[in-house]
Amino acid sequence: MSLFLRTPFPFVSPVLSKSQTGVVPIRSAMSSPEKKTRRKKQQRRQQKHGDSLLSTNGSVVSAAEQGLRLIFMEELMQHARNRDAPRVNDVIYDMIAAGLSPGPRSFHGLVVAYTLNGDHEGAMHSLKRELSAGVRPLHETLIALARLFGSKGLATKGLEILAAMEKINYDIRQAWLILVEELVRNKYLEDANKVFLRGAKGGLRATDEIYDLMIAEDCKAGDHSNALEIAYEMEAAGRMATTFHFNHLLSCQATCGIPEVAFATFENMEYGEDHMKPDTETYNWVIQAYTRAESYDRVQDVAELLGMMVEDHKRLQPNVRTYALLVECFTKYCVVTEAIRHFRALQNYEGGTKVLHNEGNFGDPLSLYLRALCREGRIIELLEALEAMAKDNQPVPPRAMILSRKYRTLVSSWIEPLQEEAEVGYEIDYIARYISEGGLTGERKRWVPRRGKTPLDPDAVGFIYSNPMETSFKQRCLVDGKRYHRKLLRTLLNEGPAVLGDVSESDYVRVEERLKKLIKGPEQHVLKPKAASKMVVSELKEELDAQGLPTDGTRNVLYQRVQKARRINRSRGRPLWVPPVEEEEEEVDEEVDELISRIKLEEGNTEFWKRRFLGEGLNGRHDKAVEMDESELSDVLDDDVTDVEYVAKDEEADEEADEEEEVEQAEPESQDVDRVKEKLVEAKKPLQMIGVQLLKDSDQTTATSKRSMKRSSRMVEDDDDEDWFPEDPFEAFKEMRKRKVFDVSDMYTIADAWGWTWEREIKNRPPQKWSQEWEVELAIQIMLKVIELGGTPTIGDCAVIIRAAIRAPLPSAFLKILQKTHSLGYVFGSPLYDEIISLCLDLGELDAAVAIVADMETTGIAVPDQTLDRVITARQTGETSVDDASS
């Protein structure tokens, strides 16, 4: 029974009849098994060698006639190779005129000529002509037709050719493979699947290349069902699926939005044979499935996959796509610290930022990463990212240059004050701005929605839940400093006085107290307004005057005015006014600081932790120090969250006091406080990584009461389970060595596994203390780098940077900032220029003032006469003083 369609061609038994010209045409080589005459055997031998060379009486032709036929065939094949079908047809007619009957190779040349021209109708007409002449087509002829129909997407006609070949007992496997391959190559994938599966289910076995091609193309097209069915047919034919095939299936499963499907495939590979073990691309597809899924929180699943990949580091290593996907995942879930770690590895690959950008698809991960760094105040890392983009010739994406609600971009939105618009030296026409932003047409973006609605922050688009909390660079430096000193204190308490060298007990106590003080920070004057109901008239007037509001009226009028101003500020997201607080200068003890510098962090030091696991380097002070300071250390380490919660509670208490006198209160503030507390709690929970679970307890000290210790000891005594370990990490290490649960040779860090040699230095490096001068220098570098990458800072960015330079003060930066501002086409108001020049003169920076005036005149900015007179007078005075000194 035929596998394919029923042939439409009339293959019938031949009837030999002599034509009027005496030539006997060969109609078919098919013979009946009952009658094996001598003439039919002779016909088979003649068709096996090509065209028949019979004369009119059946005798063998002469050598001259053989030469004539050879000449015709050479000319015919030459025209066929030249795709000249009409000339091939003429040669066939010339052969007939010369008394030679065209055989199967002659018609094969005609079919080939039409095939090379892509004329499927002409090729089919030639085949029908051959059949009508009673000639049996060659195997090559039918294969050529199958190739032609496959290239034209005519799967039905291709199946008819296969049916015809099967009917005349030709091997159809080669033609079937060619038909399938041509259909795939010419983008007729649906027809290719039908033809392939029909042949495969009929017992035909494809080549390895065809199996691979079909599975790969189906997965590229998203046809997971057919790809899986073809894989089953391949395994039924005796060839097992390998990592290559599973990866293609994963590429299709990773885009379906259900990562559990991809993970199930990954588990089959993980616990399968060696030929199907997951490789780097396997992990990439599963990470992509989790990262771009739109349901649930997937970052912990990615962390577990990452841990498995690290554990298998001897067999596989990540590539540029792995790091790009990890940066995308951690950025979208606001795990910025992990995103920074993997971006540092990504930037070591050429074109890594281009891979991360991914032409702006999937939320533009590169822009989200830049915005996350900016919003969290991580400006050192932001500058590193911009330098990596410049190395890869990757322009800054428009999404990264999004404006904040104060019309500031990533160039300056991290400089305090965060929630204030820049002073540009002239009054802003807010009505014109409102109209230009589409306020009259309803197209203007509403930053403050109706009460109870979600904030309309466009910068949140692309992040899974919400964009990171906005933090200034100054606050980030303070947090980093606390975190570093927290590590030092933990190391000091774990290691004891030996880590400081030969010091006395009093020095140890001084260092400990100093670290605790640094972690706690300076005396925090709570930056929150006093409850209006508790304020006296002078305080009410001070707050109103600071905001430019009238200060006349009775206390009740002033009180109502203050309350209204606060409600307006809350609804618009502005910070509430607080009285200025003078910062106390921090006392510096050089001797204690020198002792603190002796404490060495050993994060990422594999050899140190190997020795520690073997019990080397311990001292008697360790247990005593930890026991004595556990509860106190816990209180110090958690001071950040406690302070914030304390401030939040104070604010709520003050609000309740105001509610007693006024019922109407604004709800957004309490919502903001809740959001802050939630984010801080989430930030306090570190991302759990499988590869670093072993030494986790050695870095932490938990507060445990004596009662709970006794209870736990009783539980250990009564526990019959052999898997228990002592609570003390070093006692647990001894027990693990005794049971041979863990060997020291199995210890490694990320530097050993993936070659992150830079991370140990970065983790153990003390953070730089914040200063206004350093902030201005970083802002200038960021602005220049953004302009180099095709971004355009706003005039607000330039004004914020110049204001920061004025606060420093940093006269050497004034000219550079102004020149870059003028090159962008921006011009400040005269009061700002006057303030800058006056500050330069007051600081004695006459050259800077003269250079600024010269730059203003070069740019075409009018300089007031009074300003010019001050500069000229100061210069003349300076020259006079120099002359007096020289004389």
Side-chain angles (χ1 to χ4, degrees):
M1 183 177 178
S2 174
L3 293 176
F4 300 97
L5 298 178
R6 183 174 178 273
T7 175
F9 308 132
F11 282 95
V12 295
S13 299
V15 179
L16 297 180
S17 60
K18 187 179 295 185
S19 61
Q20 295 178 358
T21 59
V23 179
V24 179
I26 301 175
R27 297 193 178 186
S28 175
M30 299 290 292
S31 58
S32 59
E34 295 82 10
K35 299 180 180 180
K36 296 184 179 179
T37 60
R38 183 176 181 183
R39 182 182 297 275
K40 294 188 180 295
K41 291 181 181 179
Q42 188 178 13
Q43 285 179 353
R44 288 198 195 94
R45 289 196 302 268
Q46 289 170 351
Q47 288 191 357
K48 181 178 179 182
H49 295 289
D51 292 338
S52 60
L53 301 177
L54 299 178
S55 62
T56 55
N57 55 4
S59 61
V60 179
V61 297
S62 63
E65 192 170 344
Q66 291 182 11
L68 179 62
R69 180 176 289 275
L70 182 60
I71 292 173
F72 276 119
M73 290 301 298
E74 287 181 353
E75 182 181 3
L76 186 147
M77 290 303 173
Q78 184 65 33
H79 292 314
R81 282 190 286 268
N82 294 334
R83 306 182 181 185
D84 193 351
R87 298 294 299 274
V88 173
N89 205 13
D90 293 342
V91 172
I92 291 177
Y93 282 123
D94 291 343
M95 291 177 64
I96 295 174
L100 301 176
S101 59
R105 298 197 178 276
S106 302
F107 287 107
H108 176 69
L110 183 60
V111 172
V112 167
Y114 282 114
T115 301
L116 294 177
N117 283 325
D119 186 359
H120 64 277
E121 294 182 355
M124 199 65 184
H125 178 73
S126 300
L127 178 63
K128 291 179 179 179
R129 178 181 171 185
E130 180 178 9
L131 294 174
S132 63
V135 179
R136 181 186 184 185
L138 295 177
H139 187 260
E140 296 85 346
T141 304
L142 298 177
I143 289 179
L145 285 170
R147 186 185 301 275
L148 175 61
F149 292 145
S151 63
K152 295 296 182 179
L154 302 175
T156 303
K157 289 186 176 296
L159 291 174
E160 291 177 356
I161 294 296
L162 296 180
M165 294 177 66
E166 193 176 20
K167 187 169 184 179
I168 57 178
N169 296 326
Y170 276 154
D171 184 9
I172 65 172
R173 180 173 178 268
Q174 183 180 2
W176 171 67
L177 294 176
I178 290 175
L179 177 61
V180 170
E181 183 177 6
E182 288 297 324
L183 288 171
V184 173
R185 302 291 185 194
N186 291 276
K187 311 300 181 184
Y188 300 104
L189 191 58
E190 185 177 355
D191 294 331
N193 285 322
K194 293 179 180 178
V195 174
F196 180 88
L197 292 175
R198 185 162 186 175
K201 291 178 180 179
L204 295 178
R205 189 185 188 282
T207 60
D208 294 348
E209 292 77 11
I210 294 297
Y211 281 126
D212 297 345
L213 177 65
M214 291 295 299
I215 293 175
E217 293 298 326
D218 278 333
C219 290
K220 287 179 183 178
D223 192 352
H224 181 265
S225 176
N226 278 324
L228 193 61
E229 190 172 359
I230 292 172
Y232 288 149
E233 293 293 340
M234 179 181 70
E235 292 186 344
R239 186 193 180 203
M240 302 306 295
T242 62
T243 305
F244 170 82
H245 306 102
F246 280 107
N247 283 347
H248 279 290
L249 291 174
L250 281 171
S251 69
C252 190
Q253 296 167 2
T255 58
C256 69
I258 307 176
E260 286 77 11
V261 177
F263 187 72
T265 303
F266 171 81
E267 285 186 322
N268 291 336
M269 299 174 66
E270 180 70 20
Y271 303 110
E273 302 294 334
D274 291 339
H275 63 270
M276 56 189 294
K277 288 291 184 182
D279 60 1
T280 303
E281 282 303 312
T282 307
Y283 280 96
N284 290 349
W285 287 120
V286 183
I287 292 172
Q288 176 181 315
Y290 279 122
T291 300
R292 296 172 184 170
E294 297 180 355
S295 58
Y296 312 113
D297 190 344
R298 302 296 187 176
V299 67
Q300 192 62 45
D301 297 322
V302 172
E304 293 177 1
L305 274 175
L306 187 55
M308 297 173 67
M309 193 174 185
V310 172
E311 289 178 351
D312 206 10
H313 67 275
K314 294 181 180 179
R315 191 176 62 86
L316 53 89
Q317 289 287 309
N319 56 20
V320 61
R321 186 163 170 265
T322 309
Y323 288 127
L325 287 169
L326 290 172
V327 172
E328 177 184 349
C329 175
F330 292 130
T331 300
K332 289 181 175 180
Y333 284 97
C334 296
V335 190
V336 183
T337 53
E338 288 296 324
I340 292 171
R341 294 179 66 217
H342 292 85
F343 184 85
R344 289 193 176 116
L346 175 67
Q347 66 185 4
N348 293 327
Y349 291 87
E350 184 178 356
T353 55
K354 289 184 177 291
V355 177
L356 178 61
H357 179 52
N358 198 12
E359 299 181 353
N361 298 322
F362 305 106
D364 195 352
L366 178 59
S367 298
L368 296 180
Y369 178 70
L370 296 177
R371 290 300 305 165
L373 295 178
C374 173
R375 291 185 65 89
E376 288 205 350
R378 303 179 185 272
I379 306 309
I380 305 298
E381 292 80 5
L382 176 60
L383 187 58
E384 290 179 0
L386 293 175
E387 290 174 350
M389 292 169 60
K391 184 180 68 174
D392 294 337
N393 295 322
Q394 170 62 45
V396 60
R399 168 70 175 82
M401 296 298 293
I402 191 172
L403 292 178
S404 68
R405 63 194 309 172
K406 299 304 176 184
Y407 299 91
R408 293 157 63 177
T409 66
L410 58 81
V411 175
S412 69
S413 59
W414 43 272
I415 301 176
E416 292 185 354
L418 300 180
Q419 301 300 331
E420 291 185 12
E421 194 168 346
E423 298 178 12
V424 294
Y426 56 82
E427 292 292 332
I428 299 175
D429 190 350
Y430 292 101
I431 296 179
R433 177 194 286 180
Y434 179 82
I435 295 174
S436 64
E437 292 177 354
L440 300 180
T441 60
E443 299 175 358
R444 182 174 180 269
K445 181 69 176 178
R446 285 180 55 88
W447 287 90
V448 183
R450 297 184 302 276
R451 182 182 297 273
K453 299 296 182 180
T454 306
L456 303 174
D457 188 355
D459 202 13
V461 177
F463 295 96
I464 299 298
Y465 296 116
S466 179
N467 47 359
M469 287 185 61
E470 199 165 14
T471 308
S472 66
F473 176 59
K474 181 179 180 180
Q475 187 66 24
R476 174 56 54 188
C477 291
L478 180 62
V479 172
D480 291 342
K482 287 185 177 182
R483 183 180 294 113
Y484 178 75
H485 290 105
R486 191 178 292 118
K487 292 179 182 178
L488 294 180
L489 179 59
R490 185 181 292 118
T491 303
L492 178 66
L493 296 179
N494 285 336
E495 302 295 329
V499 75
L500 299 176
D502 187 10
V503 295
S504 63
E505 185 73 19
S506 61
D507 291 336
Y508 176 84
V509 173
R510 288 169 60 197
V511 171
E512 183 178 348
E513 294 299 326
R514 174 65 174 166
L515 288 174
K516 291 179 180 178
K517 185 177 180 180
L518 290 173
I519 293 173
K520 187 176 181 182
E523 291 296 332
Q524 294 290 335
H525 299 281
V526 181
L527 299 178
K528 68 181 188 66
K530 188 177 180 180
S533 60
K534 300 177 182 180
M535 296 172 68
V536 298
V537 174
S538 59
E539 293 174 334
L540 293 172
K541 288 185 176 182
E542 182 184 5
E543 180 170 346
L544 293 172
D545 183 64
Q547 300 180 72
L549 299 174
T551 58
D552 56 336
T554 63
R555 184 189 182 282
N556 190 30
V557 173
L558 297 176
Y559 168 77
Q560 295 293 341
R561 199 172 292 156
V562 167
Q563 286 292 82
K564 183 176 180 180
R566 290 182 178 181
R567 286 198 302 270
I568 292 174
N569 288 336
R570 287 192 188 103
S571 65
R572 296 181 179 177
R574 297 175 182 172
L576 301 182
W577 182 87
V578 292
V581 179
E582 295 183 1
E583 296 183 0
E584 299 179 358
E585 294 185 1
E586 183 181 355
E587 297 180 2
V588 178
D589 191 338
E590 295 182 357
E591 182 181 356
V592 175
D593 289 344
E594 193 275 332
L595 292 175
I596 291 176
S597 65
R598 298 181 185 180
I599 304 176
K600 302 298 181 184
L601 299 178
E602 300 295 345
E603 292 190 31
N605 189 346
T606 311
E607 295 302 323
F608 173 83
W609 289 110
K610 283 182 178 180
R611 294 194 302 270
R612 178 54 52 86
F613 176 75
L614 295 175
E616 301 175 7
L618 297 179
N619 52 75
R621 171 71 183 175
H622 166 75
D623 297 334
K624 181 180 178 182
V626 174
E627 290 176 4
M628 180 178 60
D629 295 301
E630 273 180 347
S631 60
E632 188 176 358
L633 176 61
S634 178
D635 294 339
V636 173
L637 299 186
D638 298 338
D639 67 310
D640 293 339
V641 178
T642 305
D643 289 345
V644 173
E645 292 178 353
Y646 176 74
V647 171
K649 290 179 180 178
D650 282 354
E651 290 181 358
E652 292 174 359
D654 292 339
E655 288 177 0
E656 289 176 0
D658 287 341
E659 284 178 357
E660 294 178 359
E661 301 182 7
E662 184 178 9
V663 178
E664 184 179 359
Q665 288 292 331
E667 296 179 0
E669 183 179 3
S670 61
Q671 296 176 358
D672 293 340
V673 171
D674 293 340
R675 195 181 312 121
V676 169
K677 292 166 66 176
E678 289 175 2
K679 289 195 174 184
L680 285 172
V681 171
E682 290 298 325
K684 187 180 175 183
K685 298 178 181 178
L687 190 64
Q688 298 299 317
M689 305 292 290
I690 290 180
V692 296
Q693 295 278 338
L694 177 64
L695 300 176
K696 178 181 176 183
D697 291 339
S698 65
D699 293 352
Q700 298 177 358
T701 54
T702 58
T704 309
S705 63
K706 294 182 179 180
R707 184 180 304 173
S708 62
M709 291 287 290
K710 292 179 180 179
R711 184 169 58 252
S712 62
S713 62
R714 276 198 312 270
M715 292 175 62
V716 170
E717 293 175 358
D718 299 336
D719 193 1
D720 295 333
D721 191 0
E722 296 181 356
D723 293 336
W724 70 270
F725 289 98
E727 290 188 356
D728 183 82
F730 300 101
E731 292 296 330
F733 287 167
K734 291 181 182 179
E735 190 69 25
M736 293 174 73
R737 291 197 302 271
K738 180 180 178 181
R739 301 183 193 175
K740 296 182 180 180
V741 174
F742 182 77
D743 191 73
V744 69
S745 60
D746 297 329
M747 297 182 66
Y748 56 86
T749 62
I750 194 69
D752 305 319
W754 285 357
W756 290 13
T757 55
W758 61 86
E759 183 153 90
R760 177 182 172 186
E761 178 185 356
I762 292 174
K763 280 188 173 183
N764 299 330
R765 181 195 306 160
Q768 185 174 346
K769 190 175 181 181
W770 177 88
S771 66
Q772 190 70 67
E773 293 80 4
W774 184 34
E775 187 175 71
V776 173
E777 291 174 1
L778 287 176
I780 294 175
Q781 294 180 31
I782 293 288
M783 180 173 64
L784 296 177
K785 191 61 67 174
V786 166
I787 294 174
E788 178 187 345
L789 295 175
T792 305
T794 64
I795 188 173
D797 293 326
C798 302
V800 169
I801 297 174
I802 200 71
R803 282 291 176 190
I806 291 173
R807 288 194 300 268
L810 196 62
S812 59
F814 291 161
L815 181 61
K816 184 184 296 184
I817 299 171
L818 290 176
Q819 286 178 341
K820 188 56 64 176
T821 302
H822 297 157
S823 67
L824 294 173
Y826 302 135
V827 177
F828 296 126
S830 297
L832 183 56
Y833 289 112
D834 294 342
E835 183 180 354
I836 295 171
I837 295 172
S838 299
L839 180 59
C840 291
L841 296 177
D842 294 340
L843 296 174
E845 298 288 343
L846 181 60
D847 294 338
V850 173
I852 291 172
V853 171
D855 182 68
M856 292 174 63
E857 292 180 346
T858 303
T859 311
I861 303 173
V863 183
D865 295 339
Q866 295 178 354
T867 304
L868 284 175
D869 292 342
R870 287 191 60 187
V871 175
I872 294 172
T873 303
R875 186 168 188 178
Q876 291 175 350
T877 305
E879 292 175 354
T880 303
S881 61
V882 171
D883 293 340
D884 293 343
S886 61
S887 62

